[in-house]
Amino acid sequence: TQLLEQSPQFLSIQEGENLTVYCNSSSVFSSLQWYRQEPGEGPVLLVTVVTGGEVKKLKRLTFQFGDARKDSSLHITAAQPGDTGLYLCAGGETSGSRLTFGEGTQLTVNP
Amino acid sequence: GAVVSQHPSWVICKSGTSVKIECRSLDFQATTMFWYRQFPKQSLMLMATSNEGSKATYEQGVEKDKFLINHASLTLSTLTVTSAHPEDSSFYICSVVGGRGFNYGYTFGSGTRLTVV
């Protein structure tokens, strides 16, 4: 069974600060996705990374996939209260296969 | 990505009764759907993989006779929680995989909050 360790589990910061969330595994994934979930709703896909070493940017969010495709990070610049939510990383063994989820990072950005 | 509709969004039922949750892929023919369970402040746990036209594949520790999955068409999968008990209270979420390029990934339904009283 592949496992994804996500850290930190909880993060409370002030508006304007930067933060990084990490997702690590001893297994190789064919792809890794990052999701954001708000209370009472399903997760919403933010990005999919598939190539080792690739970096993708989505406005203030920067996603990186490790060279060995075992780890990933999400960096948020100048966090805003609207960024508050549960961030989940998830790895896929093959295209369209079951996903393995990390434990999640509950982010709170205080105004 | 795909558009997924999950219904109902919340349900309260009495202990011992059964509840059916529907997951529809509105614009994508999904041969495979996934059912997850999520407890408060926790991540998603895969319960089963729903395969169109065949039996679902259940994860270890998930009772297939308690959580009945039917994937009768390419656009609909249902999860029935039979003889529900308070410990079955949870947030149930379905997902399909689809999309293209940058946005390839799994689209999730909006979830169903089940409360068993």
Side-chain angles (χ1 to χ4, degrees):
Chain A
T1 302
Q2 295 182 305
L3 297 175
L4 272 172
E5 295 183 350
Q6 192 172 339
S7 63
Q9 281 191 282
F10 300 94
L11 190 57
S12 181
I13 61 173
Q14 293 300 122
E15 182 175 2
E17 293 183 356
N18 303 329
L19 68 112
T20 302
V21 178
Y22 299 93
C23 191
N24 297 294
S25 175
S26 58
S27 302
V28 176
F29 290 98
S30 65
S31 68
L32 198 140
Q33 290 97 42
W34 284 91
Y35 295 85
R36 178 168 168 267
Q37 184 183 23
E38 299 201 30
E41 299 181 11
V44 175
L45 178 67
L46 296 175
V47 78
T48 299
V49 286
V50 296
T51 305
E54 78 172 302
V55 176
K56 288 187 175 178
K57 292 190 176 184
L58 189 64
K59 296 183 180 179
R60 294 177 293 102
L61 278 61
T62 302
F63 305 86
Q64 187 165 5
F65 202 13
D67 291 339
R69 291 187 290 139
K70 293 182 179 181
D71 55 88
S72 181
S73 64
L74 158 61
H75 182 79
I76 301 179
T77 304
Q80 299 176 1
D83 295 328
T84 294
L86 179 66
Y87 289 82
L88 297 157
C89 65
E93 299 171 25
T94 59
S95 177
S97 70
R98 51 182 286 179
L99 284 179
T100 298
F101 277 87
E103 300 98 327
T105 297
Q106 182 62 55
L107 171 66
T108 302
V109 182
N110 303 298
Chain B
V3 179
V4 178
S5 174
Q6 189 171 338
H7 179 81
S9 56
W10 62 270
V11 58
I12 301 173
C13 72
K14 291 185 177 181
S15 186
T17 62
S18 296
V19 174
K20 179 184 287 187
I21 302 170
E22 293 186 348
C23 181
R24 293 182 183 274
S25 177
L26 300 182
D27 62 345
F28 179 75
Q29 292 187 325
T31 56
T32 302
M33 295 186 182
F34 301 94
W35 286 97
Y36 294 85
R37 183 174 182 175
Q38 185 178 33
F39 291 106
K41 307 293 185 183
Q42 294 187 21
S43 186
L44 279 69
M45 292 182 60
L46 180 65
M47 298 176 65
T49 301
S50 174
N51 304 299
E52 187 269 334
S54 64
K55 292 182 179 180
T57 304
Y58 290 82
E59 295 300 299
Q60 190 173 7
V62 178
E63 299 177 58
K64 62 180 181 180
D65 294 329
K66 180 169 185 60
F67 299 99
L68 300 178
I69 292 174
N70 187 315
H71 195 154
S73 75
L74 289 171
T75 59
L76 174 64
S77 175
T78 61
L79 168 67
T80 301
V81 182
T82 63
S83 187
H85 291 284
E87 57 264 32
D88 298 325
S89 298
S90 188
F91 194 54
Y92 293 86
I93 313 174
C94 68
S95 77
V96 304
V97 59
R100 295 177 181 177
F102 187 88
N103 289 320
Y104 176 84
Y106 296 72
T107 303
F108 289 82
S110 54
T112 297
R113 171 73 59 193
L114 171 62
T115 303
V116 184
V117 298

